[in-house]
Each structure stands twice: as structure tokens, then as C-alpha cells.
């Protein structure tokens, strides 16, 4: 028989927990969703890159994504940079692992919305005691963590902040993959173009070396002259071998980023980089854009927010770090001659830690320092973001001017020199080796022009990471900022 006092204690615990439980259910819906916040990641990716990404979570989605990748690869006989980036965002398995981390963070946030399960204990005494035909005493205890109920809202807010940071982290990883793939494509095509220029130079050097050998045999050229032409050909042979290796390695990097393997790696890339644009994009407000849109800066702000929430939670639980409500009953059964007497009593107990030795000052100090650390890292990140945006734009403009200088001045002058040499050679005023020397210098100028054009396109590819995040310097900053969130000092 249950006592009247027990329902009162149970009702008290239910009344205390009901509002928190309802708020937890409402908050849990977004975390329990299969999407788990991926829509935000996809939206940021599309805004920054104009490309789509996908989170593969089952076999059907995997097959659909694989079919789309094959379709993209088959549609372009020569792989352009936009297709390469799109394939990487769909097919890179490391990116899928980052999305799984997002799902794990959603599950953690979901767990934080759930109430701590109460515990129930049942005790039996007097079994088998002579003179009694039944139990002497039945005792039950229901224990509820009141502090966990009282701090549930704060813990949910902290977990939600971590979940939002995980969304930004997945978006940052996506943007970084897109930027890396774009740079890899540019490097691979530039390396291929270098190989083409060196192959032309090698053809001319081979002809010069063969001619020098024949002239030496006829006595028209001394050994020094022969050796000079032959060593140039030998050096150029080593140089083109190195260039081919660099082109092969650059292509492999691109293949890795796109997640290709097997027969998929048989694709073609252009042999020349695109021509320089006629005009530059105006980015006069690039600093303001970066401060508004940089994903890693938003992550630093969330770190500060999470640390502040943890500090408030530590402050709220400074003195009482554990509080439990125990409600129970005790039923005594006793036989007196032919009568059986029963007596049931209820009880409620409140258990908490007495802050005699630990007043919470150390935890408060730890939380204060964690907050100061997060605030300083946020300030540093803001300074770095502005500087990186300015640097990216300066590099964009300067490399354009350099590449245009080679295109408009250096290469045309070399072409004119070669043309004049050809005229004097036809007029028998210039010998063969002078003509070949001019051709070699033209090849060197063309190689420098290719490098300048490559540097421009790499700088152009760095504008989006400078504004949205995902550049080469983002990973280290993200690691530093992430360390700040671990010292919140929450309960």
C-alpha cells in the first residue's frame, strides 16, 4: 500500500521537471533530425562557391552521388576547374567524415536536452524470520538529480552553441576543400603548360647539339663550342624530366582531392591556363565582407559565447555542485496473534555537498581565464581576418600587373628578337647558334610568363577563402580557437 506522502513527493519532482522537460523536447527536434543542420552547411557552400555538396548517409544516396560524379566526369572531355571543384565536393570521403562529425555534434546536443534518468531502489528485510510469514519491512527510494534539472536549460544552451560551431566547422572544411581543389587544378595545368614549353626548347636544343657534333666532326667548331651546346641539351633534358614529375605529382594531388580512384583517374586537363581577364574584379570592401562572412571568425565568436555560458553555469553551481532529492516509502508488516498490522510511511530527503574545502574559487578562476583566452583569440582572429583580406586583394592586383607585363611586354619583345634573328639568319648575317640562343631565351621568357599567369590565378582563387574562410591559414587558427572552448569550466 503506497503512502499518501509519496505521491506528494513524486508530484513535486514532476512539477519541477515538467517545464524543463517540455523545453528540452522542443529543442531536441532540430538535433534529432536526419539533416542535423546540414542545410546551413550547404547554403554557405553555395553562397561562397556556387557549388553543391551532399551528405551521403545510406547506400541509395551513395549510388546517386556516384552516378552524378561519373556523369560530370563523362560530360567534360577536358576537366575544367569548376567541374573539378564540384566533383571534389561530392566525392571526397574526408569531407563526408567531417559531415559525420556534424551529425555526432547534433547527437551530443540532442543528448543534452534529455533529463537525467531517476534511479529507484527497493530493499527487503526480515525474510525468513521465525514467527513471521511475510516480509518484515519493504523499503523503496526514488532519487532525482535536482541540480541537473535546474541547470538543464544552461547545459542545452552550451550544447547548442557547440552544435552551431560544428555547423560552421563543416562549412569551413567544405570551403577549404573547394579552395584546395581549385589551387590544385591551377597548379596541374600550369605544370602541364611548362612541360609543353620545355618540350619545344628540348627540340631546338637537340637540333643544336646534333649540329654542333657534325660541325665538330668537320672541324668547323672547336670542342668548347660543342660542349656548350651539348651541356645545354643535357641540362634541359633533366629540367624537362623534373617538370614532368611535377606535373604528374600535381595531377595526383588533384585526383586525391576529387576522391577518384580506379578507372576514374583517366581524365584529361587543359594544356594551357586560361588567358588573363580583361579587367579585375573590384573588391574595395573586401575587409568588411571578410568580417561579415568569414566562417572561422564566426566560430571564434561562438567559442566566446560558449565560454561565457559555461562561466555563468560555473557561477551558478559554485557552492552547490551536486543536489539530489530522495523520496521513498517504508512499509512494515507485523503479525500479532491472528491479526496482521501494516504501517506505511513516506519520506523525502535532500542531499547536497557541503562546500567546506572546495568553495568553487578555483573553478571560477579557471572559467575567468578561459573567457579571457577566448576573447583575446577572437580579437586576434578579427585582426588577422582583415589583414588576410587585404593581403589577398593586394596579391590579386599585383600578380595581375606582373602577368600582364610579361604578356604585353616581355614575351612580345622576345618574339620580335627571334623574328629579327631569323631575318639576319636568312641574310647570312647571324649563325645558327645565335638563332638557337635567341630561341632559348624566348622559351625562358615564356616559362616566366606561365609562372606569372599561374600566380595570378592562384591569387584569384584566394579571394573567396579570404572572404568566406577555408584558406591555407585557416586550419591553424581554427585549432587555436577550438582550444578555447574546452576550458569553459561548466558543471
Amino acid at each position: 500500500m503506497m503512502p499518501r506522502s509519496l505521491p506528494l513527493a513524486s508530484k513535486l519532482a514532476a512539477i519541477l521537471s515538467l517545464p524543463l522537460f517540455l523545453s528540452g523536447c522542443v529543442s531536441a527536434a532540430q538535433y534529432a533530425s536526419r539533416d542535423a543542420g546540414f542545410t546551413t552547411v550547404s547554403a554557405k557552400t553555395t553562397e561562397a562557391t556556387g557549388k553543391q555538396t551532399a551528405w551521403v548517409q545510406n547506400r541509395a544516396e551513395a549510388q546517386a552521388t556516384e552516378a552524378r560524379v561519373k556523369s560530370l566526369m563523362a560530360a567534360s572531355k577536358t576537366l575544367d576547374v569548376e567541374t573539378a571543384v564540384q566533383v571534389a565536393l561530392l566525392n571526397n570521403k574526408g569531407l563526408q567524415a567531417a559531415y559525420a562529425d556534424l551529425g555526432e555534434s547534433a547527437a551530443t546536443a540532442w543528448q543534452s536536452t534529455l533529463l537525467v534518468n531517476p534511479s529507484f531502489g527497493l530493499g527487503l528485510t526480515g525474510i525468513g524470520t521465525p514467527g513471521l510469514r511475510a516480509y518484515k519491512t519493504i523499503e523503496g527510494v526514488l532519487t532525482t538529480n535536482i541540480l541537473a534539472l535546474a541547470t538543464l536549460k544552461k547545459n542545452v544552451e552550451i550544447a547548442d552553441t557547440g552544435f552551431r560551431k560544428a555547423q560552421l566547422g563543416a562549412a569551413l572544411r567544405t570551403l577549404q576543400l573547394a579552395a584546395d581543389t581549385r589551387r590544385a587544378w591551377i597548379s596541374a595545368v600550369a605544370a602541364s603548360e611548362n612541360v609543353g614549353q620545355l618540350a619545344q626548347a628540348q627540340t631546338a636544343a637537340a637540333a643544336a647539339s646534333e649540329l654542333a657534333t657534325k660541325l665538330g666532326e668537320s672541324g668547323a667548331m672547336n670542342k668548347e663550342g660543342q660542349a656548350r651546346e651539348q651541356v645545354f641539351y643535357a641540362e634541359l633534358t633533366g629540367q624537362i624530366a623534373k617538370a614532368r614529375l611535377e606535373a604528374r605529382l600535381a595531377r595526383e594531388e588533384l585526383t586525391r582531392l576529387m576522391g577518384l580512384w580506379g578507372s576514374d583517374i583517366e581524365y584529361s586537363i587543359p594544356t594551357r591556363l586560361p588567358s588573363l581577364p580583361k579587367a579585375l574584379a573590384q573588391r574595395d570592401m573586401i575587409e568588411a565582407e571578410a568580417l561579415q562572412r568569414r566562417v572561422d571568425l564566426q566560430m571564434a565568436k561562438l567559442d566566446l559565447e560558449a565560454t561565457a555560458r559555461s562561466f555563468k553555469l560555473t557561477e551558478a553551481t559554485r557552492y552547490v555542485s551536486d543536489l539530489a532529492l530522495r523520496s521513498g516509502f517504508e512499509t512494515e508488516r507485523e503479525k500479532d496473534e491472528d491479526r496482521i498490522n501494516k504501517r506505511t510511511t513516506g519520506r523525502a530527503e535532500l542531499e547536497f555537498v557541503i562546500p567546506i574545502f572546495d568553495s568553487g574559487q578555483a573553478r571560477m578562476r579557471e572559467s575567468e581565464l578561459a573567457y579571457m583566452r577566448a576573447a583575446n583569440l577572437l580579437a586576434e582572429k578579427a585582426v588577422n581576418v582583415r589583414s588576410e583580406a587585404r593581403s589577398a586583394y593586394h596579391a590579386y592586383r599585383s600578380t595581375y600587373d606582373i602577368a600582364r607585363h610579361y604578356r604585353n611586354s616581355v614575351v612580345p619583345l622576345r618574339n620580335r628578337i627571334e623574328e629579327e634573328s631569323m631575318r639576319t639568319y636568312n641574310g647570312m648575317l647571324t649563325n645558327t647558334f645565335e638563332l638557337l640562343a635567341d630561341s632559348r631565351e624566348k622559351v625562358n621568357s615564356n616559362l616566366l610568363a606561365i609562372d606569372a599567369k599561374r600566380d595570378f590565378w592562384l591569387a584569384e582563387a584566394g579571394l573567396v577563402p579570404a572572404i568566406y574562410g577555408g584558406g591555407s591559414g585557416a586550419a591553424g587558427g581554427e585549432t587555436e580557437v577550438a582550444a578555447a572552448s574546452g576550458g569553459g569550466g561548466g558543471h
Side-chain angles (χ1 to χ4, degrees):
M1 179 177 178
M2 298 295 292
R4 293 182 179 180
S5 56
L6 179 60
L8 293 176
S10 300
K11 289 179 181 179
L12 175 62
I15 291 172
L16 289 172
S17 63
L18 183 58
L20 298 173
F21 178 75
L22 293 177
S23 64
C25 290
V26 173
S27 302
Q30 59 175 325
Y31 310 131
S33 170
R34 185 174 179 274
D35 174 79
F38 180 72
T39 303
T40 301
V41 178
S42 180
K44 287 186 176 294
T45 301
T46 303
E47 177 189 358
T49 67
K51 302 295 181 294
Q52 297 178 345
T53 185
W55 183 8
V56 179
Q57 301 188 55
N58 55 48
R59 184 179 296 275
E61 292 177 352
Q63 292 174 346
T65 302
E66 183 179 357
R68 186 178 176 190
V69 168
K70 289 183 177 180
S71 175
L72 288 170
M73 296 295 294
S76 57
K77 295 181 179 180
T78 301
L79 185 69
D80 60 273
V81 63
E82 302 301 332
T83 302
V85 172
Q86 183 60 83
V87 169
L89 294 184
L90 293 174
N91 201 45
N92 186 281
K93 299 305 182 287
L95 188 60
Q96 293 298 318
Y99 295 159
D101 291 339
L102 172 62
E104 183 179 351
S105 176
T108 301
W110 183 11
Q111 183 66 46
S112 71
T113 65
L114 304 178
L115 298 175
V116 178
N117 291 329
S119 58
F120 179 74
L122 184 65
L124 307 175
T125 59
I127 300 176
T129 304
L132 290 178
R133 292 179 300 176
Y135 306 113
K136 182 178 181 181
T137 303
I138 302 175
E139 184 177 327
V141 178
L142 181 67
T143 305
T144 304
N145 192 330
I146 300 300
L147 189 63
L149 296 175
T151 59
L152 178 63
K153 183 178 179 181
K154 287 186 172 60
N155 282 317
V156 170
E157 291 174 348
I158 294 172
D160 180 71
T161 305
F163 170 66
R164 286 184 285 142
K165 182 187 172 185
Q167 287 180 305
L168 295 176
L172 186 65
R173 178 68 180 87
T174 306
L175 296 176
Q176 186 172 4
L177 175 62
D180 289 345
T181 305
R182 190 173 295 272
R183 285 190 291 262
W185 184 92
I186 294 170
S187 298
V189 175
S192 177
E193 190 170 356
N194 275 333
V195 171
Q197 287 293 327
L198 289 172
Q200 294 179 14
Q202 188 183 36
T203 301
S209 178
E210 184 179 356
L211 179 59
T213 301
K214 292 181 178 180
L215 291 175
E217 293 174 353
S218 65
M221 177 176 285
N222 58 27
K223 293 183 177 180
E224 180 184 356
Q226 296 178 56
R228 185 176 292 111
E229 297 301 327
Q230 291 169 355
V231 74
F232 174 73
Y233 174 73
E235 289 175 347
L236 194 58
T237 300
Q239 190 175 355
I240 195 172
K242 181 179 179 182
R244 284 172 176 159
L245 174 61
E246 290 176 352
R248 190 175 297 113
L249 295 179
R251 180 188 173 95
E252 286 298 334
E253 181 182 3
L254 177 61
T255 301
R256 287 195 300 271
L257 291 171
M258 291 192 297
L260 301 178
W261 71 307
S263 60
D264 295 336
I265 65 175
E266 301 299 330
Y267 60 89
S268 300
I269 59 175
T271 57
R272 295 175 59 87
L273 285 170
S275 301
L276 295 177
K278 295 181 179 180
L280 291 177
Q282 294 299 320
R283 292 287 189 179
D284 298 333
M285 302 297 292
I286 191 170
E287 290 182 57
E289 287 185 81
L291 289 175
Q292 180 182 1
R293 299 177 177 176
R294 275 285 287 262
V295 174
D296 49 349
L297 183 61
Q298 296 173 24
M299 293 175 67
K301 292 178 181 178
L302 287 179
D303 273 326
L304 183 63
E305 179 182 337
T307 308
R309 293 184 186 279
S310 296
F311 177 78
K312 292 180 180 179
L313 181 59
T314 302
E315 188 175 25
T317 60
R318 174 179 178 180
Y319 297 107
V320 181
S321 58
D322 194 6
L323 183 65
L325 174 65
R326 300 179 185 274
S327 57
F329 68 92
E330 184 176 290
T331 299
E332 295 182 355
R333 184 176 182 278
E334 193 174 26
K335 182 179 180 181
D336 183 11
E337 295 181 353
D338 294 333
R339 296 178 56 191
I340 297 178
N341 299 323
K342 292 183 180 180
R343 184 176 61 179
T344 301
T345 58
R347 70 174 187 274
E349 300 175 0
L350 190 64
E351 180 179 316
F352 58 90
V353 175
I354 302 176
I356 297 177
F357 306 108
D358 182 6
S359 62
Q361 291 182 351
R363 289 185 288 116
M364 288 293 296
R365 179 58 176 165
E366 181 182 2
S367 297
E368 291 173 0
L369 293 174
Y371 182 82
M372 292 172 59
R373 172 185 169 84
N376 283 302
L377 286 175
L378 175 59
E380 180 192 30
K381 175 59 70 174
V383 171
N384 292 344
V385 162
R386 295 188 64 179
S387 177
E388 289 169 10
R390 291 194 302 269
S391 297
Y393 189 59
H394 291 330
Y396 174 65
R397 292 189 60 87
S398 298
T399 54
Y400 179 77
D401 292 338
I402 295 170
R404 190 174 57 175
H405 171 72
Y406 274 97
R407 183 194 65 182
N408 296 342
S409 300
V410 177
V411 173
L413 285 173
R414 283 298 177 189
N415 290 335
R416 186 181 305 171
I417 291 172
E418 186 182 42
E419 292 173 0
E420 293 298 326
S421 297
M422 182 63 68
R423 290 193 185 97
T424 57
Y425 175 76
N426 292 334
M428 303 185 70
L429 300 176
T430 303
N431 61 38
T432 304
F433 296 105
E434 291 177 348
L435 177 62
L436 292 174
D438 291 335
S439 297
R440 288 198 298 265
E441 293 300 328
K442 176 188 174 182
V443 170
N444 290 334
S445 297
N446 286 335
L447 291 175
L448 292 175
I450 293 171
D451 290 343
K453 187 166 58 170
R454 177 204 61 199
D455 292 342
F456 164 74
W457 285 116
L458 288 175
E460 194 269 346
L463 287 179
V464 169
I467 296 173
Y468 291 92
S472 58
E478 178 192 355
T479 302
E480 289 183 359
V481 173
S485 63
H491 176 73

